[in-house]
Amino acid sequence: MSVLSEKHGDLVVITIDRPALRNAVDFDTARALADEFRRFENDKQQQVAVLTGRDGNFCAGADLKAVAEGRGNRVVLDGDGPLGPTRMTLSKPVIAAVEGFAVAGGLELALWCDMRVASTTAVFGVYCRRWGVPLVDGGTVRLPRLIGQSHAMDMILTGRSVEGEEALRMGLANRLTEPGEALHEAIKLAESLTHFPPRCMRSDRRSVLTQWGKPLDEALQQETLLGREVIKSGETVHGATRFLGGAGRHGSFQDL
């Protein structure tokens, strides 16, 4: 098995398990990743997923040995992305836990996630610049949307390394940890998300993801329509009632 899945209550940890290749992804691994995220999407109990790589590296991108031997990842217009789930728009959040290398397609996998928890020794980069391998898993689209065109062009054109502290400053990493602690902190973050009313969180997330390219008035209207569905579900009234009963006062998240 090149991909492992382990459930922790209402969340699941999905691990790329090819440590000898710095968790580079070949055709079969890409398919396994896509299948695992489809299972996550369809599992009504699982609320948040954490994506990571085994033994100190997140993912070094596509398996170039397989590419050189004609066994490379699929690069077609329909279906799954070359590294698997990168064309999916899930209804639930995914958090990347990044140790070591998240480069080339591995960077694109991390960009696909909603948030990135990285160690100080994590390394992000468009290393495929060196080998004539293009970004075809969303890198040229998601990277500038996350960190702005100037920072993105710097990374995309030069292929240079961006390590933990710089990644945090430019907004590529959301949280920074000591080496070896990224998965632990990502799981803690994921667990905190499972405590929130799920319909409201997913609706707000959907509004963020789908507003790109819409005129402002249309995006605002969509936000209102999505919000109205949450209100009609009863989740908002339930939450307001709990607040009146004393829950969550003074910014506390401990009693939610």
Side-chain angles (χ1 to χ4, degrees):
M1 293 288 290
S2 59
V3 176
L4 306 176
S5 178
E6 184 179 4
K7 293 182 178 180
H8 298 258
D10 292 338
L11 66 90
V12 62
V13 177
I14 297 172
T15 305
I16 305 170
D17 187 17
R18 304 186 83 209
L21 297 171
R22 290 180 173 172
N23 299 314
V25 173
D26 62 2
F27 176 88
D28 290 337
T29 305
R31 182 168 56 186
L33 275 173
D35 288 344
E36 285 298 337
F37 279 104
R38 273 188 278 270
R39 276 189 278 273
F40 163 66
E41 177 71 3
N42 294 324
D43 189 326
K44 294 183 179 180
Q45 179 185 356
Q46 304 306 308
Q47 303 298 318
V48 185
V50 174
L51 175 62
T52 193
R54 184 180 165 191
D55 289 355
N57 285 296
F58 181 74
C59 175
D63 183 345
L64 294 185
K65 180 181 178 182
V67 172
E69 294 174 351
R71 302 180 292 105
N73 308 57
R74 66 190 301 276
V75 185
V76 295
L77 295 179
D78 62 332
D80 295 331
L83 266 69
T86 47
R87 294 177 184 168
M88 295 179 183
T89 302
L90 304 182
S91 66
K92 299 180 278 189
V94 180
I95 299 170
V98 182
E99 298 278 356
F101 289 104
V103 296
L107 170 65
E108 293 179 292
L109 274 177
L111 296 174
W112 172 73
C113 298
D114 294 276
M115 300 175 70
R116 284 146 297 283
V117 177
S119 75
T120 55
T121 53
V123 178
F124 300 90
V126 186
Y127 279 20
C128 48
R129 177 61 54 242
R130 308 169 187 188
W131 318 118
V133 178
L135 294 170
V136 288
D137 265 307
T140 64
V141 178
R142 293 190 175 106
L143 189 60
R145 289 185 178 188
L146 282 174
I147 65 175
Q149 183 166 311
S150 180
H151 284 310
M153 279 298 192
D154 183 358
M155 292 184 67
I156 290 169
L157 296 182
T158 69
R160 71 179 181 88
S161 300
V162 172
E163 299 187 12
E165 291 286 353
E166 184 179 7
L168 182 67
R169 288 197 302 272
M170 65 171 55
L172 182 53
N174 300 93
R175 306 280 194 281
L176 210 59
T177 75
E178 292 299 315
E181 292 297 313
L183 179 58
H184 174 70
E185 291 301 318
I187 289 174
K188 283 177 57 178
L189 177 58
E191 286 176 340
S192 73
L193 299 188
T194 66
H195 297 158
F196 295 131
R199 187 186 293 266
C200 181
M201 183 175 66
R202 292 181 194 176
S203 175
D204 287 349
R205 176 180 177 273
R206 180 181 173 188
S207 181
V208 171
L209 292 176
T210 58
Q211 57 87 22
W212 291 100
K214 295 183 185 295
L216 179 60
D217 58 347
E218 185 178 333
L220 292 172
Q221 184 177 60
Q222 174 185 255
E223 180 189 66
T224 300
L225 290 171
L226 290 170
R228 286 173 61 183
E229 291 301 312
V230 174
I231 295 168
K232 285 194 293 185
S233 76
E235 193 173 84
T236 302
V237 171
H238 177 69
T241 302
R242 292 178 60 234
F243 175 78
L244 290 176
R249 295 296 179 90
H250 309 296
S252 173
F253 286 74
Q254 301 303 312
D255 53 359
L256 293 177

